[in-house]
Amino acid sequence: MTGLNALDTKKKGGGVSADLLKLLALVSMTIDHYAAIVIYNGNLYGFDSEYYQMAIATEKGMQLMRIYHIFRTIGRLAFPIFAFLLTEGFIHTKDRKKYFLRVLFMGLCAEIPFDLCLFNQWFDFSAQNIGFTLALGIATMFLMKKYRRKPFLKWTSVLGCAALSELLHFDYGALGILLIAVLYNFRKEKALRIASGAFLSVLLSLGNFGAAACSFLPIFFYNGEKGRLPLGRVLYFYYPLHLIFFYLLIYLGAKITA
């Protein structure tokens, strides 16, 4: 019984709630996207390689690049937390089909703003936003649950979804789906859940010193409670809206300085 209690993530009192985790992920994501969109593509003219090279050659440009790298490193915390909360949502939701459709709809709404922000094009199929990764993650967990008594089919399904994510250029690719899969698979084994999640998160953020693994510090203290912050389904609206806002910042900035 002692071993089971040590793995219990739903102890009352103290700890980190789901709402606090969501807030941390939203802040981290916003900092990350501010760096990628406003600093890199806006201030440093990332859409134009010639202007970009001139910009980073200046003292101000070098300062902005340092800030950019710091903000992008902070931004690595977001996805593992979203992946963790996705597994918790899948476990506790009353309607998994609606859960999948909500996340997929968010991805569809965000795709044009995502392409405009990162590629300055209405449609670009070289990368798809995180909403599609999360939706495919839900589908992966559904298959894992369906084939839970058939390990070969279960993990073949996971690998198939991971390959699909890579093939369709979903954000975080195959590793993103594998992270969601292991977090769901080890949902009753806290130590394995944290260790496997942190390991995959290091692989996801090798270019940023493995910073994504730091997200498992607050996750470790997750208490299984929803929390009292009025966040609800804010991610579904916030994700596409903040991309639109950042694109307008760089679009209007370019018009003003033209």
Side-chain angles (χ1 to χ4, degrees):
M1 291 297 292
T2 303
L4 290 175
N5 288 337
L7 296 173
D8 183 9
T9 60
K10 295 190 176 183
K11 295 177 181 178
K12 299 297 181 181
V16 178
S17 68
D19 280 348
L20 280 176
L21 284 175
K22 186 182 294 184
L23 180 62
L24 175 60
L26 287 171
V27 171
S28 172
M29 178 185 73
T30 304
I31 291 171
D32 181 57
H33 289 171
Y34 178 84
I37 300 164
V38 179
I39 294 179
Y40 190 86
N41 285 336
N43 302 134
L44 295 174
Y45 309 99
F47 293 134
D48 188 308
S49 58
E50 183 178 348
Y51 279 103
Y52 169 75
Q53 293 299 328
M54 290 190 293
I56 61 174
T58 65
E59 183 178 349
K60 181 180 179 182
M62 289 188 289
Q63 291 175 345
L64 285 172
M65 279 302 293
R66 285 193 287 269
I67 296 171
Y68 166 81
H69 287 300
I70 292 170
F71 280 13
R72 292 287 278 172
T73 299
I74 294 171
R76 297 311 94 210
L77 298 177
F79 180 72
I81 296 176
F82 284 134
F84 175 80
L85 292 175
L86 189 80
T87 63
E88 289 294 297
F90 181 83
I91 293 165
H92 298 294
T93 186
K94 295 179 181 178
D95 192 327
R96 290 179 174 130
K97 182 179 179 181
K98 286 185 178 179
Y99 188 40
F100 169 79
L101 291 175
R102 283 198 302 269
V103 175
L104 180 61
F105 183 69
M106 177 190 73
L108 291 169
C109 290
E111 186 58 21
I112 289 178
F114 179 82
D115 289 342
L116 285 171
C117 285
L118 296 187
F119 309 107
N120 201 29
Q121 297 182 34
W122 287 94
F123 296 100
D124 190 293
F125 297 104
S126 63
Q128 324 308 329
N129 75 80
I130 196 177
F132 294 109
T133 312
L134 297 177
L136 184 57
I138 294 173
T140 303
M141 290 186 285
F142 177 83
L143 292 171
M144 292 176 74
K145 181 175 174 60
K146 180 179 180 180
Y147 297 122
R148 62 189 180 278
R149 300 187 189 280
K150 299 177 180 180
F152 178 77
L153 288 177
K154 172 183 173 181
W155 290 106
T156 299
S157 299
V158 171
L159 292 177
C161 290
L164 183 63
S165 182
E166 198 71 33
L167 180 66
L168 297 178
H169 306 293
F170 288 176
D171 212 1
Y172 293 99
L175 282 175
I177 297 300
L178 291 176
L179 176 60
I180 294 168
V182 299
L183 290 175
Y184 176 69
N185 188 66
F186 296 125
R187 60 194 179 279
K188 296 180 181 179
E189 304 288 340
K190 184 176 180 180
L192 286 173
R193 198 182 198 192
I194 296 294
S196 60
F199 173 74
L200 286 173
S201 294
V202 168
L203 297 182
L204 277 170
S205 56
L206 287 175
N208 298 96
F209 314 105
C214 295
S215 61
F216 283 88
L217 182 60
I219 288 173
F220 178 81
F221 292 102
Y222 174 61
N223 58 20
E225 298 175 14
K226 181 183 179 300
R228 298 180 179 180
L229 295 175
L231 294 179
R233 298 173 181 173
V234 66
L235 175 64
Y236 301 126
F237 304 99
Y238 182 79
Y239 183 61
L241 288 176
H242 92 287
L243 291 175
I244 293 170
F245 175 72
F246 283 158
Y247 182 73
L248 287 175
L249 282 183
I250 62 173
Y251 179 80
L252 294 174
K255 290 293 185 182
I256 292 171
T257 56

